[in-house]
Amino acid sequence: MFRLDGKAALVTGAGSGIGREIALLFAAQGAVVALGDVDEAAAGRVAAEIAEAGGEGYPVALDVTDRLSAKAAVATIVERQGRLDVLVNNAGIGMVGNLLETEPEDFRRLMAVNVDGVYHCSQAAVAQMVAQEPQGGAIVNIASIAGMVAVARRFAYGTTKGAVISITQSTAMDFVDRGVRCNCICPGTVETPFVEGYLRRYHAGEVEETRQALHARQPLGRMGRPEEIAPLALYLASEEAAYVTGAQMVIDGGLTAR
Ligand SMILES: NC(=O)c1ccc[n+]([C@@H]2O[C@H](COP(=O)([O-])OP(=O)(O)OC[C@H]3O[C@@H](n4cnc5c(N)ncnc54)[C@H](O)[C@@H]3O)[C@@H](O)[C@H]2O)c1
């Protein structure tokens, strides 16, 4: 079940955290995984991990903020494998601040990576998915619960993730009859280098206390782990999810149920 044998997959932001875990799992389930990241060295390390485990993966140069870079990454995959079956739009960045605290350049930077990035990669991928035979493919967007409910002082971040949910729905509806499925995952807080960066940048001097508070925020009493997100991405990418499109799937330790 949930095999991806021979499928050509692109995972953006595959060099770290959730993207790395998704890439490792997809490769273990038989996909050939293109690892797209601005940090090419990190993508190379994940490719080596995949090879060590007996899977197939390779780094592709990708800056999701650059439309031509997204097109070139998809072209590279098609050159190697003849098609693109799965896109995981995972690359993303965060920042802390309410409406008054958010500077225009920070707002623009978040929009460029988290929203333009999903737009660029999805556009390049869907163009290929509708052109290939057999037609179709699966897109999995990594949104966030911050796009569904308000998280304190995540004005720009929540805005971008709300947009990702909306992109998911329109892509799903506009290509529902062309074999393209598009869904998103809305994680709560997940322990990754993303959270470590946040702790160092915004809570230096109180890292441990803040980490404990982040754990305690979830009814389940702890943050999530990347390996608890990757299996849902695998399901959504797989044939078993043939009837799932336009969905927002929450994995948040109960946070939004409270
Ligand atoms: N960690 C969390 O708590 C959490 C919660 C909800 C959603 N998310 C989302 O999950 C996704 C992954 O987060 P993570 O915690 O694994 O982050 P991370 O910082 O560990 O990894 C993100 C990766 O994206 C890459 N990246 C950044 N900008 C890029 C660009 N312009 N082009 C290509 N690659 C780029 C980075 O180099 C890095 O390898 C993000 O979209 C994030 O918003 C994370």
Side-chain angles (χ1 to χ4, degrees):
M1 235 199 229
F2 310 147
R3 296 288 309 176
L4 297 176
D5 295 295
K7 300 264 188 213
L10 168 60
V11 179
T12 74
S16 173
I18 295 170
R20 170 182 166 275
E21 207 60 46
I22 291 173
L24 293 174
L25 183 60
F26 278 20
Q29 295 306 104
V32 180
V33 186
L35 309 153
D37 207 298
V38 271
D39 186 343
E40 289 187 44
R45 285 193 294 276
V46 177
E49 279 188 83
I50 289 174
E52 222 168 276
E56 267 189 81
Y58 58 95
V60 285
L62 176 62
D63 177 352
V64 299
T65 66
D66 176 354
R67 182 163 180 259
L68 294 181
S69 173
K71 281 182 91 161
V74 170
T76 301
I77 294 162
V78 174
E79 209 170 282
R80 280 178 78 123
Q81 293 175 257
R83 54 188 292 114
L84 176 66
D85 300 296
V86 179
L87 166 67
V88 180
N89 280 310
N90 163 81
I93 58 172
M95 69 163 287
V96 174
N98 67 25
L99 172 68
L100 298 180
E101 295 162 336
T102 302
E103 296 298 332
E105 55 274 20
D106 290 328
F107 188 80
R108 287 285 147 230
R109 192 171 51 88
L110 251 71
M111 291 293 280
V113 178
N114 297 2
V115 182
D116 297 6
V118 176
Y119 159 55
H120 294 149
C121 295
S122 300
Q123 190 176 58
V126 171
Q128 170 61 30
M129 287 170 177
V130 300
Q132 64 197 12
E133 282 298 331
Q135 198 177 51
I139 299 176
V140 181
N141 295 327
I142 308 301
S144 167
I145 56 147
M148 303 171 62
V149 297
V151 176
R153 300 180 64 228
R154 297 296 189 281
F155 167 68
Y157 185 70
T159 300
T160 65
K161 293 304 186 177
V164 173
I165 293 170
S166 185
I167 291 173
T168 302
Q169 292 172 331
S170 16
T171 306
M173 288 307 101
D174 288 342
F175 296 94
V176 73
D177 54 357
R178 314 281 291 271
V180 176
R181 293 185 300 104
C182 184
N183 294 288
C184 68
I185 301 177
C186 298
T189 312
V190 181
E191 271 191 293
T192 68
F194 181 94
V195 169
E196 289 308 312
Y198 155 79
L199 288 171
R200 280 195 305 273
R201 179 163 169 206
Y202 295 101
H203 296 279
E206 46 172 19
V207 166
E208 264 324 302
E209 304 88 293
T210 313
R211 193 196 312 278
Q212 290 321 314
L214 284 180
H215 280 305
R217 195 163 69 170
Q218 283 66 231
L220 264 172
R222 63 168 175 83
M223 287 187 259
R225 302 175 184 125
E227 59 271 27
E228 293 171 323
I229 308 299
L232 181 52
L234 172 64
Y235 167 68
L236 292 171
S238 75
E239 298 295 338
E240 281 80 0
Y243 197 57
V244 186
T245 198
Q248 300 160 46
M249 305 260 187
V250 172
I251 306 185
D252 68 351
L255 190 78
T256 52
R258 182 136 59 188

